[in-house]
Amino acid sequence: QKPKSPTKKGKKKHTKNPHKHKRGRKKKKFDSDDTEVFDPIAASAKYHEMEDKFLHNARLNCFAALLHLIKSPENAYIYARDDYLVNTLVKVSNLLASPFNVHAIRIYANFSRHPDNVQRMVHRIKDLLPTLVRAMRNDTNAETRMFTCYAIENLSCDVSVRQELANIPGLLMALCACALKASHELEQLSAIRALKNLGDEPANIIPFSNSPGCFATLMRLAHDNDSYVNVKVQYVACDALATFSHWLKKIAVNGVSMGDFGADGDDGSNNRGGKDGKYLTLPTHQASNWEQWQ
């Protein structure tokens, strides 16, 4: 007796779904947004695993060729739009324990020298800004921190991205750390200049206020007489504090001129402000009281 041919129902039982395994497989990411999951030390060790001297020298030559080519503005504009290249550089930039990390950061610093690359670097290159924040926290390589500060300084020159940069988690704190603990005066100067550029945006008063130590860093650099503080650094810090003072006073004056306090001031004079040119002088330096006896 011949065995019965399997029915369609039976065939369906033994047929494997080719998409089932693919659907359940998670694509491995080199750089994760979660900093607790991503381990730069382990990733650096894996990057250099099974590496011989020929591969090491080949990588060095590739980075040297790229650094030479992007010194031209035309090449920097073209290469910054190569998705495969910029994504690979982001991955290498996250290898904080790798000697190739600084070369990738230097390429991004040169990309930022072209004004037309700013919008692309901020909005189009995935994970670039968090990568730059991690690079500024690299305690083992001062050159990496310096070129990262150069990149942030150039990006902050664009008025349209200053508010977005200031709201990147950890960016302001990383700049303050570079400004205070810099091992080279160029790193310190670039970090304080980036803070000054971001402070030129009035809306950034809130993220600066929400970041502990930002104003304290500026005040310390502005009035510190230590030998490691450069005169240029002090001037830029004072300029940043004066800019914030200007924005705060402008907000206060606008609030007084727009508010409805009646025709007369507290002293009975026409001191409310308006088109007659008689504005309330701020600050008043007057102490307020509640029905205090004289």
Side-chain angles (χ1 to χ4, degrees):
Q1 186 178 0
K2 294 182 179 180
K4 295 181 178 180
S5 60
T7 59
K8 292 183 179 179
K9 187 175 181 181
K11 283 184 179 179
K12 194 172 183 180
K13 279 185 180 180
H14 299 287
T15 303
K16 293 183 179 180
N17 187 356
H19 302 288
K20 186 176 182 180
H21 183 63
K22 291 182 180 179
R23 191 165 53 241
R25 184 187 304 170
K26 293 184 179 179
K27 187 178 179 181
K28 187 175 181 181
K29 293 184 178 180
F30 192 91
D31 179 22
S32 174
D33 293 333
D34 191 354
T35 55
E36 296 180 358
V37 176
F38 180 75
D39 187 1
I41 306 299
S44 301
K46 187 174 181 180
Y47 182 70
H48 292 282
E49 187 179 5
M50 303 296 292
E51 183 188 62
D52 53 15
K53 62 178 181 179
F54 299 106
L55 181 58
H56 181 85
N57 293 333
R59 286 172 174 169
L60 283 177
N61 291 331
C62 288
F63 280 114
L66 285 173
L67 286 170
H68 178 74
L69 290 172
I70 61 175
K71 296 295 178 64
S72 169
E74 294 80 8
N75 291 337
Y77 180 86
I78 295 172
Y79 290 150
R81 279 147 184 79
D82 190 317
D83 293 334
Y84 186 78
L85 174 62
V86 295
N87 291 331
T88 302
L89 291 174
V90 168
K91 295 176 183 179
V92 179
S93 300
N94 279 286
L95 307 178
L96 302 182
S98 173
F100 300 107
N101 166 268
V102 63
H103 301 303
I105 295 295
R106 288 180 65 185
I107 292 175
Y108 274 119
N110 282 278
F111 280 163
S112 67
R113 297 173 63 187
H114 200 298
D116 293 338
N117 287 341
V118 173
Q119 291 288 338
R120 178 169 179 80
M121 293 178 67
V122 174
H123 299 291
R124 301 294 297 275
I125 302 179
K126 185 180 179 182
D127 296 333
L128 174 59
L129 296 179
T131 298
L132 295 179
V133 173
R134 283 191 287 268
M136 281 191 289
R137 294 174 177 172
N138 188 359
D139 297 330
T140 59
N141 196 326
E143 191 176 4
T144 297
R145 297 193 306 269
M146 183 175 66
F147 280 99
T148 307
C149 290
Y150 287 160
I152 297 296
E153 180 184 358
N154 287 340
L155 294 178
S156 62
C157 289
D158 193 329
V159 180
S160 62
V161 300
R162 285 175 180 170
Q163 190 172 354
E164 185 171 353
L165 288 175
N167 286 281
I168 297 297
L171 188 139
L172 292 177
M173 297 297 297
L175 287 173
C176 291
C178 290
L180 286 176
K181 303 176 182 179
S183 57
H184 197 280
E185 65 178 19
L186 292 179
E187 174 190 350
Q188 187 180 45
L189 183 60
S190 180
I192 198 67
R193 282 175 173 174
L195 289 171
K196 163 63 175 60
N197 291 341
L198 295 175
D200 287 342
E201 172 61 40
N204 286 343
I205 294 178
I206 296 176
F208 267 84
S209 302
N210 292 335
S211 300
C214 278
F215 289 113
T217 299
L218 294 174
M219 288 187 286
R220 178 178 176 181
L221 293 175
H223 299 283
D224 203 340
N225 294 323
D226 292 343
S227 58
Y228 79 94
V229 179
N230 193 350
V231 178
K232 294 181 180 179
V233 173
Q234 287 185 324
Y235 179 80
V236 176
C238 292
D239 191 8
L241 290 173
T243 301
F244 282 115
S245 177
H246 169 74
W247 295 134
L248 291 173
K249 185 171 183 179
K250 191 172 183 180
I251 293 172
V253 171
N254 288 340
V256 169
S257 60
M258 290 164 49
D260 187 8
F261 301 105
D264 297 330
D266 292 338
D267 56 355
S269 61
N270 186 8
N271 205 20
R272 185 187 68 165
K275 295 182 179 179
D276 54 358
K278 296 180 180 179
Y279 287 93
L280 180 65
T281 303
L282 295 175
T284 61
H285 298 292
Q286 294 179 356
S288 303
N289 62 76
W290 175 76
E291 299 182 359
Q292 190 179 43
W293 290 313
Q294 301 297 328

